[in-house]
Amino acid sequence: MKRLVILGGGESGVGTALLGKQKGFDVFVSDKGIIAPKYQKILLENNINFEQNKHTDSLIFSADIVMKSPGIPDNISLIQALISKEIKIVSEIEFASEFTKAKIIGITGSNGKTTTTLLMGHLLKKAGFDVGIGGNIGDSFAQLVAEKSHENYVLELSSFQLDGIVDFKPNIAVITNISPDHLDRYQYNYDNYINSKFRITKNQTATDFLLYDADDKAIENWLDNNITKAQKIPFSIQKELKYGAFLRENKIILKLTSEEVLMTVSELALKGKHNIKNAMAVAITAKLFAIASKNIAQSLADFKPVEHRLEYVRKINGVQFINDSKATNIDAVFYALDAMDSPTIWVVGGVDKGNDYQVLMPLVKEKVKAIVCLGIDNEKIIATFGNVVPVLVATNTAKKAVNIANKLAEKGDTVLLSPACASFDLFKNYQDRGIQFKKAIQEL
């Protein structure tokens, strides 16, 4: 019996443990921190051995294969020791893929991958396909494979998950966009991060497809200088394409076999230029599944937006409140501000990830009437925008931020939480930040 050791007792780790036990492995889970009660319960119910608050070398180095959770970097001593002992280390995505013959749609990108994943799943399910949706959102890929053998999987894939693949390949890969993010994990080298994203296509063959944003300079540059065997299908909102999806007179045009008008931009359920691109990627995929255009358009029109991503909360005295807590980098905030069509009170801040706020300056000058900083260290934001917007206020709770923003707002304005930063200074995660923001709005 082969021994499978899993480092990390979170979503991907426990999902891998379930699948590993199902497939006959001797499974052991090791977590340096505390394993959440809900995951401990699953491990105990399934008689899976585990340890927490420590890594015991003798129990780990006896592994035939190690699954490393995506949050664990490669440069720590334990991982380096495993490498030196030539013990195989894989990601959960890699491990799970060995136990399914399903068609896989893999979606990555710095922004938009969650929305695109859920929109893709929504459309395929409405068209009658058997689909499992997960990966970096919801249930882990391993748990999905363990619990039910779907015919198709739509997976959100982070760069961390892609770093651990060996043979994994999606039949359809989507790269929504690439902008600097998580650079601390990639030696502060943007090229390393870009290459990590493109691992999604490294094992694709000529029968597979790579869908990508043709307006994205990082993507275009990589494709100009590297080779993928996959069939490339671009999408664009800036130029007409000979092949792919593009905009013409505010209409989404598909040009795969013959040219056709899919729908007008105003019919999309999701607003903003970035969501037009997300919809294009989904529409192209749907065409590869031979779904009728009228059904594609209907699904794109009736999809409900993702929580914490440009999520409309409510309107109070003519002021609309929008929760974009998932916007944890500059590019995501750029999309959010670009989508605003009214004077905006921008709630921003948290743990800075090396942000260059100058990229946002034209949009801030055009659309932002006041800034409310929500974070412990707001110096960089204040230094950048203090002389640009008429009002800038710093605070350290979601409730205070909402109350201040509400006082600053006038009828017809928008209060936008779009932090550009990680949440860990004041909140558990971006979801907690968004929930507290929404709760404070409901209490106004």
Side-chain angles (χ1 to χ4, degrees):
M1 182 183 292
K2 282 191 174 182
R3 181 169 171 80
L4 167 65
V5 170
I6 295 162
L7 299 179
E11 182 67 34
S12 63
V14 172
T16 303
L18 292 173
L19 180 59
K21 177 156 188 184
Q22 183 187 95
K23 300 303 178 183
F25 285 84
D26 171 24
V27 180
F28 178 69
V29 177
S30 178
D31 197 308
K32 195 171 184 179
I34 296 173
I35 298 176
K38 66 174 181 177
Y39 294 129
Q40 288 190 46
K41 185 172 183 288
I42 294 170
L43 294 172
L44 289 168
E45 288 175 347
N46 288 274
N47 296 314
I48 296 171
N49 294 323
F50 67 92
E51 66 177 358
Q52 56 184 334
N53 289 317
K54 61 181 177 179
H55 287 316
T56 303
D57 288 354
S58 60
L59 296 174
I60 293 171
F61 294 143
S62 59
D64 295 295
I65 182 170
V66 170
M67 194 294 288
K68 176 178 74 69
S69 291
I72 301 173
D74 291 336
N75 58 4
I76 66 170
S77 58
L78 176 61
I79 301 304
Q80 290 300 308
L82 286 165
I83 292 171
S84 69
K85 293 178 183 296
E86 298 184 345
I87 296 173
K88 185 177 181 181
I89 304 172
V90 299
S91 70
E92 172 246 331
I93 298 298
E94 176 73 23
F95 183 79
S97 67
E98 295 179 16
F99 300 103
T100 179
K101 297 188 181 302
K103 180 173 284 189
I104 296 173
I105 303 166
I107 299 166
T108 195
S110 301
N111 300 292
K113 55 185 178 291
T114 298
T115 299
T116 305
T117 299
L118 295 174
L119 182 55
M120 192 89 73
H122 166 74
L123 194 153
L124 292 175
K125 282 187 174 181
K126 280 197 69 175
F129 288 90
D130 174 32
V131 183
I133 304 166
N136 197 43
I137 55 168
D139 293 334
S140 66
F141 182 31
Q143 183 174 337
L144 290 172
V145 173
E147 292 183 346
K148 184 180 178 183
S149 183
H150 292 282
E151 295 176 3
N152 305 277
Y153 290 98
V154 182
L155 304 176
E156 176 184 325
L157 300 173
S158 70
S159 58
F160 297 169
Q161 289 171 310
L162 292 170
D163 286 337
I165 65 170
V166 180
D167 298 314
F168 168 82
K169 77 175 185 71
N171 303 88
I172 300 172
V174 178
I175 303 180
T176 58
N177 50 67
I178 301 179
S179 61
D181 200 6
H182 303 298
L183 295 189
D184 53 335
R185 180 76 172 254
Y186 295 98
Q187 297 78 52
Y188 294 94
N189 185 324
Y190 188 28
D191 286 337
N192 291 346
Y193 175 65
I194 293 169
N195 289 332
S196 176
K197 288 295 186 186
F198 269 97
R199 287 177 65 84
I200 197 170
T201 191
K202 78 186 256 335
N203 296 316
Q204 286 191 297
T205 67
T207 60
D208 301 316
F209 298 89
L210 173 63
L211 283 51
Y212 66 94
D213 180 358
D215 304 328
D216 190 295
K217 290 181 180 178
I219 292 175
E220 288 281 81
N221 183 61
W222 192 96
L223 290 172
D224 285 343
N225 292 283
N226 297 274
I227 296 172
T228 173
K229 294 179 181 178
Q231 300 176 54
K232 296 183 289 185
I233 308 181
F235 50 89
S236 169
I237 64 171
Q238 296 179 3
K239 54 200 172 191
E240 289 203 9
L241 302 172
K242 293 180 180 179
Y243 179 65
F246 57 91
L247 276 185
R248 181 192 294 147
E249 298 175 351
N250 231 29
K251 296 181 178 69
I252 296 175
I253 311 295
L254 292 181
K255 199 170 184 180
L256 299 176
T257 49
S258 59
E259 182 175 307
E260 60 178 311
V261 177
L262 181 67
M263 63 196 301
T264 62
V265 168
S266 61
E267 293 175 292
L268 288 172
L270 301 173
K271 305 308 176 186
K273 292 177 182 177
H274 59 298
N275 280 320
I276 298 172
K277 292 184 178 184
N278 296 339
M280 287 175 171
V282 171
I284 293 168
T285 303
K287 276 293 183 183
L288 295 176
F289 274 77
I291 298 172
S293 295
K294 65 177 182 179
N295 295 335
I296 298 172
Q298 181 60 47
S299 291
L300 295 177
D302 64 19
F303 177 72
K304 291 181 179 169
V306 180
E307 188 177 17
H308 309 302
R309 191 69 188 95
L310 283 175
E311 175 194 6
Y312 174 83
V313 182
R314 67 182 294 200
K315 183 176 281 189
I316 304 172
N317 299 324
V319 177
Q320 67 173 350
F321 291 80
I322 295 177
N323 167 32
D324 194 37
S325 183
K326 198 173 190 297
T328 59
N329 58 45
I330 291 295
D331 209 36
V333 176
F334 185 96
Y335 291 138
L337 289 174
D338 190 52
M340 296 299 104
D341 55 9
S342 61
T344 301
I345 292 89
W346 177 29
V347 183
V348 56
V351 181
D352 186 275
K353 298 190 286 185
N355 290 339
D356 178 8
Y357 292 104
Q358 291 297 326
V359 176
L360 301 174
M361 193 63 74
L363 286 170
V364 171
K365 288 180 177 179
E366 177 189 354
K367 303 194 177 193
V368 176
K369 63 182 286 185
I371 288 176
V372 178
C373 295
L374 178 57
I376 290 176
D377 181 4
N378 303 301
E379 289 184 11
K380 192 172 177 182
I381 297 167
I382 293 169
T384 306
F385 300 113
N387 296 321
V388 176
V389 297
V391 180
L392 192 153
V393 183
T395 187
N396 58 8
T397 72
K399 187 177 181 68
K400 289 178 183 177
V402 167
N403 288 337
I404 292 168
N406 187 49
K407 289 177 182 177
L408 293 171
E410 300 174 304
K411 186 176 181 179
D413 290 352
T414 296
V415 174
L416 169 70
L417 169 65
S418 194
C421 300
S423 57
F424 305 119
D425 55 344
L426 296 172
F427 306 95
K428 295 176 183 176
N429 46 44
Y430 77 82
Q431 294 98 324
D432 179 41
R433 178 169 56 194
I435 288 167
Q436 290 195 38
F437 178 73
K438 291 194 290 183
K439 183 174 183 288
I441 293 166
Q442 300 302 336
E443 292 173 352
L444 285 174

